[in-house]
Amino acid sequence: MKNNPVNGILLLYHHRLWENAPTFTEHVGAFAKHSRFKVWTVNTELGFPPELNSLQFRIILLHYSLFVRWFYYQLNKRFLNYIAQNDNSYKIAFFQDEYQFCQHRFDFLNNYNIDCVYTLLEEDYFDAVYNRYTHVPKIVYTIPGYVSDELIKLAKNLEKPDDQRKIDIGYRARPVDYFMGRGAQEKTEIAKRFSEFSRGSGLLLDISTDESKRIYGPAWYEFLADCRAVLGVESGVSIFDLTGEVQDSCETLLAKNPLINFEEISKKILHRWEDNIYYRTISPRHFEAAAFRICQILFEGRYSGIMQPMVHYIPLKKDFSNFDEVIRLFKDVTVRKQLTDNAYRDLIAAGKYSYKTFIDSFDRLLL
């Protein structure tokens, strides 16, 4: 069909025309910056470029920003037709938030003959998800984001000495849907309970789960630069809704009783699916904190095997039974410095988790 073959990568992504999280733009930009292949990027928000119809790219890369809550809402019919008609292109899909709309995702992969999926699922769970429901030949494990050159430069420019930082402990999160399970609720639970336990401690906190207090763009990095420590949890969820039954059941119950809380809905229905498929991971926020040499106080977890307790962070038990010990450790400047130095050395300076290293591995797979 196409009469102009292009030996390179067409990267389709979606970015609404307002400020977005910098981790998103870093992920998109890393391919063009670091890949040995030529990369052409198209923002689907701007519509379908008619010129695409005369071009057949060797590789089509579908960015995770295309697949949001309204599954492939960011790909209109012209884009979908283009993907379908390019049978000779090697098609790669990057996914995040894979725990919902799974059947739509599987249908998309099968119907459009996707050749490779980059997933946040660990390899032990490939068979239970993609190998069971799709015929995608290649599945690759990845993490949500990596360390950019821009992040390192920003941190060096904005980083302040410990005694000049105005906030003892900072944190931002937003409430999430109940059907994501207990693990997802940790994002707000840690903020609420840490604030309660800290009353009378004399610590200056800037912790919020209010949507109106979210921070974007350069202001986010300025906020980080003012924090001695940040709270954190593993990214991801503890319920992987393979069939859509969990979300449907949860929404039905909420429609009958809008005031029902998480514990009640968990006891009634959600407990049946808790931890059905492991879907927890390190977050780009942990790399940001490491780059800014901020002490991290984190719920105990695996963190993709990248961060270790009392090597890179202060572990906080999920029942807060060691809260007093956590505060004692945080107030010890020597402990804070050791942990932040370790995190900077292993997560940032080593280069193992840089975008350049990630894109090098991506290119080798294509070759």
Side-chain angles (χ1 to χ4, degrees), residues 186-222:
E186 292 173 2
K187 297 176 176 68
T188 52
E189 184 72 9
I190 193 172
K192 177 184 175 183
R193 298 195 67 193
F194 198 94
S195 298
E196 292 172 351
F197 273 77
S198 296
R199 287 172 187 163
S201 67
L203 295 175
L204 180 57
L205 308 182
D206 192 338
I207 296 171
S208 178
T209 59
D210 189 329
E211 186 68 31
S212 67
K213 294 187 178 180
R214 298 279 291 180
I215 307 172
Y216 296 99
W220 172 247
Y221 292 120
E222 292 169 5

Side-chain angles (χ1 to χ4, degrees), residues 77-96:
K77 287 184 178 180
R78 296 188 70 183
F79 281 111
L80 292 172
N81 288 338
Y82 178 82
I83 294 167
Q85 291 165 3
N86 278 270
D87 290 331
N88 294 325
S89 298
Y90 188 78
K91 302 171 189 176
I92 305 170
F94 273 74
F95 288 136
Q96 294 190 13

Side-chain angles (χ1 to χ4, degrees), residues 225-237:
D226 257 336
C227 293
R228 293 187 177 91
V230 289
L231 302 179
V233 304
E234 287 182 293
S235 184
V237 300

